[in-house]
Structure formats: C-alpha cells, structure tokens
Amino acid sequence: MEIVLASRNRGKIAEVEAILRTHLPAVKLLSLDDIGFVGDIEENGETYEENALIKARAAAEACGYRYAGLADDSGLSVDALGGAPGVYSARYAGEHGDDAANNALLVRNLAGIPPAERTARFVCTLALVLPDGRTFTLRGETVGRIIDTPRGSGGFGYDPYFYYEPYGKTFAELTAAEKNAISHRGKAVEQLADLLATL
C-alpha cells in the first residue's frame, strides 16, 4: 500500500514509516517530492486537526486520489505558556523550521519558571484522506517537561529540551526504537496502523 505523506521532512517521514512498517510491512510512504508536488501547503487552521486535514487533502488531491493522503500536524504545548507554542511550534520564532531560534525563544520565555512548573506535552494529530473521500483523524500525546540546556544529538525540533521523566532522558537522547515506542507520533501512528489494518 502506498500513501503520500504531506511532508518533505525526511526525519519525520523516516520516523512514521519505521513505526508503520513494524505493523504493516507492505506500507510505503511517498513524500510530496516523490509525487512532484511543487510549493507549500498553507497551514491556516487553528487546531492540529484542522492543519492535518488541510495537508492530507492537498496530498490526496495532488496525486489525483490514486493514493491516500496522510498528514501530521504536531507541536509542543507548554502549560506555563498557556499551551504555546502549540500549532505555531515550527514557526514559533518567526521563520518556519528554524529549530535553533525556536528553542532559544522557548528557553527565554521560560526563564524564571521552576523546573517542576515546566510541564509540557508533545502532541501529534494524523489525518488520513482515502481515495474514496473518507477522512480520519488520530491523536497521540506524550507528557514531559522543558529543561534549560539541550541534551542529546538525535531527533529534531524541540527534542533536546523535552525531558521524559520515566526514561530520565530527553527525546534527543533516546534511540529511535525508544522514542518510537513512547512518542506522541509513535502513539498516533500505532492507531493509524490499527485503522489501516481494518480498511
């Protein structure tokens, strides 16, 4: 089964495909580049679900509904910041995808807040649009807290600052297998695998 993931982020694509293939070995993910999609998809929704559906529909339409369209909208929600950066996680500091700037702004905005009050959650919403037009959304969350100093060299985005208490590590210190087993994306993709197995 081939599915178009509305992304060019190779880290995200590899992560989703690795989790999916442990459940459904025959699944192959195509990227926007693989189907010749040019340009960007405007994410103007106010929730993760809205943004994921916008992207999944665009991916399905771009390939003429030959394949299902899949999209992930994910982000970091920090309790002490009223849920920010939320849906703006990738462009928190202004420019889309500038991890260093986003992390620097996050740490600045949490200055003076005690470690115990820096609780946060990674949220992932997946939207699936099938060739017949049916749509599904799935959601996964992982709770942790934000630390001041980055740790680890793996992962991407906010991973070096997201400390996961049960493992005593940041997401950037986890192996791919460890992260996939407990991450917000891993939880959502496992739900997706269950859904795909029933379709």
Side-chain angles (χ1 to χ4, degrees):
M1 180 179 197
E2 292 180 309
I3 299 172
V4 179
L5 180 61
S7 180
R8 293 186 172 92
N9 182 326
R10 287 292 165 192
K12 182 183 290 188
I13 293 165
E15 204 170 89
V16 172
E17 191 167 49
I19 301 165
L20 263 183
R21 282 195 170 170
T22 63
H23 302 278
L24 300 168
V27 168
K28 180 181 180 185
L29 284 188
L30 304 171
S31 71
L32 292 177
D33 291 334
D34 292 332
I35 63 166
F37 187 94
V38 178
D40 295 314
I41 301 169
E42 185 180 0
E43 299 175 45
N44 52 12
E46 294 182 7
T47 65
Y48 296 116
E49 287 79 7
E50 287 175 6
N51 281 333
L53 279 167
I54 288 167
K55 293 186 285 186
R57 286 190 180 110
E61 287 171 11
C63 66
Y65 288 93
R66 283 179 299 152
Y67 311 119
L70 176 66
D72 152 297
D73 198 54
S74 53
L76 178 69
S77 176
V78 181
D79 296 322
L81 300 178
V87 295
Y88 304 104
S89 292
R91 54 192 184 277
Y92 189 41
E95 186 175 332
H96 193 279
D98 187 339
D99 292 346
N102 289 337
N103 282 315
L105 180 59
L106 177 66
V107 170
R108 274 199 312 274
N109 287 343
L110 287 171
I113 296 175
E117 295 175 25
R118 292 171 168 226
T119 51
R121 62 193 36 80
F122 267 132
V123 178
C124 173
T125 296
L126 291 177
L128 179 70
V129 176
L130 298 178
D132 64 11
R134 285 181 293 163
T135 62
F136 302 88
T137 58
L138 309 151
R139 184 180 176 104
E141 294 187 9
T142 301
V143 176
R145 64 181 171 83
I146 305 303
I147 59 174
D148 273 330
T149 305
R151 287 172 36 184
S153 57
F156 55 92
Y158 298 97
D159 285 357
Y161 292 87
F162 188 84
Y163 182 78
Y164 184 65
E165 198 80 47
Y167 285 11
K169 297 178 182 179
T170 68
F171 265 25
E173 293 177 297
L174 299 177
T175 66
E178 286 174 329
K179 183 179 176 187
N180 291 345
I182 53 89
S183 77
H184 54 307
R185 188 167 291 113
K187 292 173 183 176
V189 174
E190 286 199 6
Q191 293 173 52
L192 173 66
D194 291 341
L195 172 63
L196 290 172
T198 66
L199 295 175

